[in-house]
Amino acid sequence: MKKRSKDSAMGRRHFLAATTTLLAAAVPGGATIANASDFPLRASSREPAPAAGNLRKIPIGVFDPVYEHLSLDAMLDKVSALGLEAMEIGTGGYPNNRHCPLDELIADRDKAKAWQKKFEDRGIRVATLSCHGNPLHPDPKHAKKDIDTFRNTVLLAEILGVKVIVGFSGCPGGTSQDTQPNWITYRWPPEYAQMQDWQWKEKVIPFWKEQAKYAREHGVKRLAFEMHPNFVVYNPRTSLKLREAVGEEIGANCDLSHLFWQGCDPVEVIHFLGKQGAIFHAHMKDTVFFPENLNRFGVLNFAFETNELDLASETFRAVGYGHSASLWKSVVKAYMDVGFEGILSIENEDPILAGEVGVERAAYVLKNVRNELLGV
């Protein structure tokens, strides 16, 4: 039994690698049609109705950490060659700020404008600034660094005229004595409910009320929090909970890759949040499920590296490699339907199609489904 299970898992890995090679060879530039990667346990494959009316052409962009090995100019050449129209740029925190010297730019407005012009000269818009960190971390040094990054990001956004800042909601400890964050999602036994209530009342809501006011004073009225595990905002319900407590400056970075494994229907989520004007940004990233392990181990069994795939229930994939192109067409149509004003920002964390290759494949899928919807 063990040998058969191992062979099955290894066969899957070899199949994925082989499929990647064959598809890359079949399409110019390594771009791949997503229909070939319609894996089990995909979301609904319902086909959207043909485009009607005047649908917005939502810009397709990319989040820059995937190009961390490149200089700013080299990265912009790559992104321009892909025909992408916008970028999400990391200013610090977990994504770091490889292409954005934050302190230098806020100290010199002319330097900041010259930096922005490099993008504009290639037909690329700096659409969002991202400072994914944990400003609620119970370690004061860690928290201060991420708070400073957030506030400086606000100042840069004001200089550049960028209207959306992307990040995490943060996660405090469970008590005032804790030294590490405590992510609480289940309110039993009772002490967990007490800790969660303390987190929101004493830490989360007061902090973000203050930061939302600061952002608003500097012309930034859209803080897009990624719904992400290990932070207090991790699903649509907690996203709206913070929005209702703090104000309309709080919205979602709708990264469906984290919602697929939680069992959410992507189109339903977009309609639910979008109709409330609560989606400010969208990360475009897929998730693939491995049924044999999912059935044994459940969804809290994620792989981040290829050497973890044998026993994984799911892992991140480039757009179209976890769910079909028809599903992603439904997703893009849903964003159009709710009047989404942001960009579709490719974030590649695919352990198989790593780096630039995953970006190219995702861009191909997204541009094709967008063109179909717009009748291009």
Side-chain angles (χ1 to χ4, degrees):
M1 290 295 290
K2 287 183 179 179
K3 185 177 188 301
R4 184 170 61 186
S5 174
K6 182 177 181 181
D7 289 344
S8 173
M10 289 298 291
R12 177 181 66 246
R13 188 191 305 176
H14 290 156
F15 168 76
L16 290 171
T19 300
T20 296
T21 302
L22 290 171
L23 290 173
V27 182
T32 306
I33 297 174
N35 291 337
S37 57
D38 201 1
F39 287 94
L41 289 188
R42 63 189 182 278
S44 167
S45 60
R46 54 180 175 265
E47 184 75 11
N54 187 22
L55 295 176
R56 174 179 181 254
K57 180 182 178 180
I58 304 175
I60 298 171
V62 62
F63 189 17
D64 76 307
V66 72
Y67 298 109
E68 63 182 0
H69 60 293
L70 297 177
S71 68
L72 175 61
D73 288 330
M75 174 186 73
L76 292 176
D77 288 342
K78 288 269 188 181
V79 173
S80 178
L82 286 176
L84 299 180
E85 302 134 337
M87 289 202 72
E88 171 186 358
I89 300 295
T91 60
Y94 299 115
N96 214 326
N97 63 332
R98 174 71 177 86
H99 304 109
C100 179
L102 181 60
D103 293 341
E104 293 179 27
L105 298 184
I106 63 172
D108 187 333
R109 179 179 291 267
D110 290 339
K111 183 176 287 189
K113 289 294 186 179
W115 178 85
Q116 186 179 38
K117 190 173 184 298
K118 285 179 175 286
F119 293 82
E120 294 173 347
D121 287 346
R122 293 171 172 84
I124 300 168
R125 177 166 63 97
V126 179
T128 60
L129 300 175
S130 291
C131 51
H132 295 73
N134 187 359
L136 294 172
H137 199 289
D139 180 341
K141 290 182 179 179
H142 187 138
K144 184 180 186 307
K145 181 179 179 181
D146 288 344
I147 293 169
D148 289 346
T149 297
F150 170 79
R151 292 172 78 91
N152 286 339
T153 300
V154 169
L155 296 180
L156 181 59
E158 182 180 27
I159 293 170
L160 302 177
V162 172
K163 301 303 182 183
V164 179
I165 291 176
V166 186
F168 291 137
S169 57
C171 185
T175 71
S176 59
Q177 289 78 43
D178 286 0
T179 59
Q180 294 294 336
N182 191 340
W183 185 45
I184 301 167
T185 63
Y186 199 80
R187 291 175 60 83
W188 194 90
E191 58 266 31
Y192 289 91
Q194 293 169 7
M195 286 190 291
Q196 189 182 60
D197 290 342
W198 177 85
Q199 289 178 324
W200 280 81
K201 181 180 178 182
E202 301 297 330
K203 296 294 182 180
V204 180
I205 294 173
F207 176 81
W208 284 116
K209 279 186 174 180
E210 179 183 352
Q211 304 313 315
K213 179 176 181 292
Y214 176 81
R216 186 168 59 248
E217 289 171 347
H218 291 278
V220 177
K221 299 178 181 179
R222 294 191 167 196
L223 305 179
F225 292 138
E226 186 166 341
M227 296 175 282
H228 193 289
N230 285 327
F231 298 98
V232 295
V233 168
Y234 60 91
N235 64 11
R237 185 176 177 184
T238 50
S239 181
L240 289 181
K241 178 179 178 180
L242 187 58
R243 180 178 170 89
E244 290 165 2
V246 172
E248 292 186 353
E249 289 82 9
I250 305 299
N253 167 23
C254 196
D255 186 332
L256 297 174
S257 69
H258 302 296
L259 302 184
F260 283 130
W261 66 265
Q262 293 185 60
C264 295
D265 180 297
V267 173
E268 179 68 22
V269 167
I270 294 166
H271 284 165
F272 174 64
L273 292 176
K275 289 176 181 177
Q276 301 179 68
I279 301 179
F280 296 160
H281 189 60
H283 273 173
M284 306 307 281
K285 186 171 65 182
D286 212 337
T287 300
V288 67
F289 295 91
F290 304 128
E292 66 274 25
N293 290 332
L294 182 66
N295 293 337
R296 294 189 191 109
F297 306 131
V299 298
L300 299 178
N301 180 41
F302 215 92
F304 294 95
E305 306 291 341
T306 53
N307 61 10
E308 300 172 334
L309 290 175
D310 288 353
L311 296 176
S313 298
E314 67 272 313
T315 193
F316 294 136
R317 296 304 315 266
V319 170
Y321 284 79
H323 298 82
S324 68
S326 61
L327 184 280
W328 283 101
K329 186 176 177 181
S330 295
V331 165
V332 175
K333 177 64 160 55
Y335 280 122
M336 292 177 174
D337 287 342
V338 300
F340 174 58
E341 297 178 352
I343 70 168
L344 305 176
S345 181
I346 298 167
E347 181 187 32
N348 189 49
E349 295 179 339
D350 189 324
I352 300 165
L353 295 173
E356 299 171 33
V357 176
V359 175
E360 293 170 5
R361 307 296 173 82
Y364 186 86
V365 173
L366 291 171
K367 285 192 286 186
N368 273 279
V369 299
R370 185 183 66 177
N371 286 346
E372 288 181 24
L373 289 165
L374 296 174
V376 177

